[in-house]
Amino acid sequence: TTPLVIAVDGPAASGKGTVARGLAQHYGLPHLDTGKLYRAVALSLLRWGGDPESEFAALRACEDISSLMDDPELKSEMVGGIASRVSAYPAVRAALLERQREFAGSPAGAVLDGRDIGTVIAPDATAKLFVTAGIEERARRRHAELTGAGLPVHLEDILIDLRARDERDSHRSAAPLEMAADALLLDTSSMSADEALSEAIRLVEGRR
Ligand code: C5P
């Protein structure tokens, strides 16, 4: 049997991470949150004091991300914002490509979530989901997540930040966020996490 490879793409705070983790657990597959790779590059750059405006500095920052993959600071909005800048550099995307392809090609199968999994990283994935939700709902979710973690943030600021991130991720020339032609749309706006996962499993089953 061919390995089951599931690509989950979508904008920030759409629920794609929760869906991807749930699918990995359901099918017993390894999961890679590819946003963490870009966040680790951003954090490496920040710690070392490299200039995010420099593609060369960002490329250098790709060299030592392994030790940062479990750093709690990866989750911060600040790191996410810089990640969305450095992820626009073709050199950074190229530097991170191979490890993602390798993960997607693992004999056991895999679930990967990000922005370009179905379009660039795993174009032959068994099932591709494009997970989305209205921007106000996404802002509310991110707000609840951050305040729940004890970070005082304003809903308005999150909305502004998400808009800027969507704009950058969708309009960059290198691997922009877009739905693959053969992807299935999953709008989680009015779904609970459990409902979104059930629907995701139903969609994947339809492609097996
Ligand atoms: O998904 P997450 O918010 O953790 O991703 C952080 C940033 O990394 C995104 O805003 C996006 O710009 C970038 N990213 C990307 N391609 C991926 C995953 C994330 O460009 N496959």
Side-chain angles (χ1 to χ4, degrees):
T1 59
T2 50
L4 175 61
V5 178
I6 307 174
V8 182
D9 290 302
S14 57
K16 67 179 187 308
T18 307
V19 163
R21 272 191 305 278
L23 285 171
Q25 196 177 12
H26 179 81
Y27 290 107
L29 297 172
H31 167 230
L32 180 65
D33 167 4
T34 64
K36 265 171 102 173
L37 299 172
Y38 294 93
R39 285 170 179 267
V41 173
L43 184 58
S44 151
L45 205 55
L46 270 174
R47 295 251 167 101
W48 146 62
D51 180 5
E53 298 300 313
S54 158
E55 181 164 3
F56 183 71
L59 179 59
R60 245 189 75 186
C62 294
E63 285 167 23
D64 45 37
I65 59 169
S66 298
S67 62
L68 300 173
M69 296 305 294
D70 293 313
D71 199 295
E73 227 191 300
L74 288 183
K75 294 203 179 95
S76 81
E77 286 300 282
M78 153 102 137
V79 167
I82 295 173
S84 117
R85 286 170 196 277
V86 300
S87 70
Y89 296 131
V92 168
R93 305 202 71 86
L96 301 179
L97 183 75
E98 211 37 56
R99 77 163 80 190
Q100 296 176 80
R101 284 253 166 93
E102 235 168 68
F103 196 94
S106 78
V111 180
L112 290 87
D113 74 273
R115 302 289 187 293
D116 64 339
I117 309 304
T119 51
V120 176
I121 304 298
D124 298 327
T126 322
K128 301 178 183 178
L129 304 185
F130 193 85
V131 181
T132 187
I135 190 154
E136 310 229 313
E137 176 57 23
R138 291 194 280 130
R140 271 195 295 276
R141 288 178 190 170
R142 183 51 59 88
H143 183 255
E145 191 183 317
L146 292 171
T147 49
L151 295 163
V153 284
H154 292 291
L155 186 60
E156 261 315 297
D157 293 338
I158 296 197
L159 198 54
I160 290 167
D161 185 70
L162 280 181
R163 276 212 183 89
R165 201 110 69 86
D166 282 0
E167 180 71 17
R168 267 201 301 272
D169 290 351
S170 309
H171 294 102
R172 67 185 177 213
S173 53
L177 169 67
E178 60 184 351
M179 189 169 154
D182 53 352
L184 301 161
L185 185 67
L186 176 56
D187 186 331
T188 67
S189 297
S190 55
M191 292 181 185
S192 67
D194 284 350
E195 288 167 341
L197 177 57
S198 302
E199 183 58 14
I201 292 169
R202 202 182 65 77
L203 293 172
V204 170
E205 286 302 314
R207 289 292 162 105
R208 291 180 83 191

